[in-house]
Amino acid sequence: MKRFFTMLPDITRSLFRRPVTENYPAVQSETPERLRGALKWDPSTCTGCGLCVMDCPAEALELTVLDRKAKRFVMVYHVDRCTFCGQCVMSCKQGSIVMNNQSWELAALDRNSFATIFGAPEDVKEALANKPEDGAAKSE
Ligand code: SF4
Ligand code: SF4
């Protein structure tokens, strides 16, 4: 009982204070502009040089070049391997890769959901047809 009375001033103060925690996920705060979120890739500026793939220390990127002239590229991004180091962004001289500061809620229930495939649907189909089956992935 003595302990309760010792705590009483703190308890009373807490009753009239705003909570210090955030009401996430109901309320989401603004993400910092420089937050390193999941990658976004722009095939229209990509040259298919493969530097991003070579420089990635986590082997998180796979690039299939179907037709360099026609810019038919397919990029597979394994976000579960990515360390968000930003090396691929720095390596890409075309500015084709950016880290999306809005894309940071990356939890998933199964491992296949962590692979994102970028590319035109027909290119993705062709690239995957020549690849050993390793499960489903989401396309963008
Ligand atoms: S951010 Fe780093 S780990 Fe992630 S794909 Fe780019 S180079 Fe690889
Ligand atoms: S480094 Fe840039 S231009 Fe080269 S393959 Fe990667 S995304 Fe394309």
Side-chain angles (χ1 to χ4, degrees):
M1 202 59 183
K2 191 181 163 209
R3 235 173 138 180
F4 174 76
F5 284 110
T6 318
M7 290 164 64
L8 196 59
D10 281 341
I11 295 170
T12 319
R13 257 198 309 275
S14 305
L15 285 176
F16 299 101
R17 263 198 202 146
R18 284 180 52 217
V20 290
T21 49
E22 290 184 17
N23 190 14
Y24 174 84
V27 180
Q28 295 204 0
S29 15
E30 286 253 314
T31 47
E33 205 179 307
R34 292 176 63 198
L35 183 129
R36 294 183 176 192
L39 299 183
K40 243 182 17 185
W41 175 68
D42 178 6
S44 67
T45 53
C46 178
T47 60
C49 69
L51 261 183
C52 52
V53 178
M54 275 190 288
D55 289 352
C56 174
E59 299 185 355
L61 297 172
E62 291 172 56
L63 179 73
T64 306
V65 179
L66 294 169
D67 185 340
R68 200 179 296 270
K69 264 194 176 163
K71 290 202 175 284
R72 292 184 61 210
F73 308 122
V74 174
M75 177 80 87
V76 183
Y77 171 45
H78 300 273
V79 73
D80 55 333
R81 295 184 203 162
C82 181
T83 60
F84 304 92
C85 64
Q87 181 59 57
C88 53
V89 179
M90 282 189 280
S91 298
C92 180
K93 304 291 175 250
Q94 312 304 320
S96 309
I97 305 177
V98 292
M99 301 187 98
N100 182 0
N101 74 336
Q102 298 300 315
S103 179
W104 53 271
E105 292 176 300
L106 303 171
L109 291 175
D110 66 294
R111 196 158 184 203
N112 291 328
S113 312
F114 289 122
T116 300
I117 308 176
F118 298 101
E122 61 277 14
D123 296 344
V124 171
K125 210 168 153 191
E126 190 176 326
L128 292 185
N130 301 322
K131 222 178 147 251
E133 187 60 57
D134 60 357
K138 55 181 173 165
S139 315
E140 289 209 349

